[in-house]
Amino acid sequence: MNIHIREISKDDCHAVWEIEKACFSDPWSEDAFFKELCNPICSILAAFDGEITAGFINVWFVAGELTINNIAVREEYRRHGIAKKLINAAIERYPDTEQVLLEVRESNHAAQELYKKLDFTYTGTRKNYYTNPQEDALLMTKTIGGKK
Ligand SMILES: CC(C)(COP(=O)(O)OP(=O)(O)OC[C@H]1O[C@@H](n2cnc3c(N)ncnc32)[C@H](O)[C@@H]1OP(=O)(O)O)[C@@H](O)C(=O)NCCC(=O)NCCS
């Protein structure tokens, strides 16, 4: 497996959306991914194994805060460090990052383990944040420091 990571273009949106649909019970629409490409605060990075899109991360960067909106890796590519690489690539993409923020379903222990491994800590709960099924979100944060 030879993984490389780059920003996606319109041509990659369909493959990214297929991963989104396979991984989430309340997926974004394909159109939402197209629209995000025109959003100046957004970056969508994907991990490729040759021609195969193995995973992606969608982030927003505003005033030192990098928010992870979504991250997913195709099932057959999991536990090979791809999510870790995607998060680190997103942080490198925005060198002025001071804080990385995200929400995660309370029941999503795999993702919580990933974030804990990358030194995210629990900072709060948003009650009933998710639908389908309704569930609380845990807020997790990682401090980077940013360039001074
Ligand atoms: C969560 C997810 C993105 C992790 O992707 P991944 O590429 O498999 O993660 P990595 O291989 O980079 O994992 C890095 C570390 O995170 C932890 N981790 C990842 N998945 C884990 C799991 N299922 N159980 C326990 N720990 C896990 C481990 O410490 C792992 O290191 P190790 O494999 O050396 O033990 C993937 O499981 C996924 O796409 N899930 C569905 C979508 C989702 O839930 N996204 C998160 C929304 S908040």
Side-chain angles (χ1 to χ4, degrees), residues 62-135:
V62 180
E65 289 191 352
L66 187 71
T67 301
I68 300 179
N69 295 316
N70 229 340
I71 179 167
V73 173
R74 283 166 68 124
E75 207 162 348
E76 61 271 35
Y77 279 93
R78 290 183 191 164
R79 301 306 289 266
H80 291 288
I82 293 176
K84 188 176 161 183
K85 281 189 179 132
L86 284 165
I87 291 172
N88 287 333
I91 294 169
E92 279 170 26
R93 162 81 176 76
Y94 294 102
D96 291 334
T97 299
E98 294 170 14
Q99 292 264 315
V100 189
L101 312 166
L102 58 86
E103 284 115 12
V104 56
R105 280 186 184 267
E106 195 174 28
S107 63
N108 192 345
H109 300 295
Q112 288 166 37
E113 287 304 315
L114 164 71
Y115 303 137
K116 279 191 247 168
K117 181 141 190 187
L118 295 179
D119 298 325
F120 284 80
T121 54
Y122 168 79
T123 48
T125 297
R126 285 195 212 281
K127 291 300 281 180
N128 298 327
Y129 179 79
Y130 293 106
T131 54
N132 193 28
Q134 190 173 77
E135 192 175 348

Side-chain angles (χ1 to χ4, degrees), residues 21 23 33 64 88 119:
K21 270 194 307 175
C23 292
F33 281 97
N88 287 333
D119 298 325

Side-chain angles (χ1 to χ4, degrees), residues 4-78:
H4 74 280
I5 293 177
R6 64 163 169 79
E7 300 242 4
I8 69 162
S9 67
K10 281 186 176 174
D11 290 344
D12 303 304
C13 275
H14 188 74
V16 165
W17 177 62
E18 292 285 350
I19 298 173
E20 168 86 7
K21 270 194 307 175
C23 292
F24 297 107
S25 58
D26 52 352
W28 284 26
S29 67
E30 188 170 4
D31 195 45
F33 281 97
F34 279 114
K35 286 191 176 136
E36 281 292 86
L37 289 180
C38 303
N39 180 350
I41 66 166
C42 175
S43 260
I44 304 175
L45 305 176
F48 296 90
D49 177 22
E51 297 293 304
I52 300 169
T53 311
F56 73 92
I57 186 168
N58 172 353
V59 297
W60 288 346
F61 181 76
V62 180
E65 289 191 352
L66 187 71
T67 301
I68 300 179
N69 295 316
N70 229 340
I71 179 167
V73 173
R74 283 166 68 124
E75 207 162 348
E76 61 271 35
Y77 279 93
R78 290 183 191 164

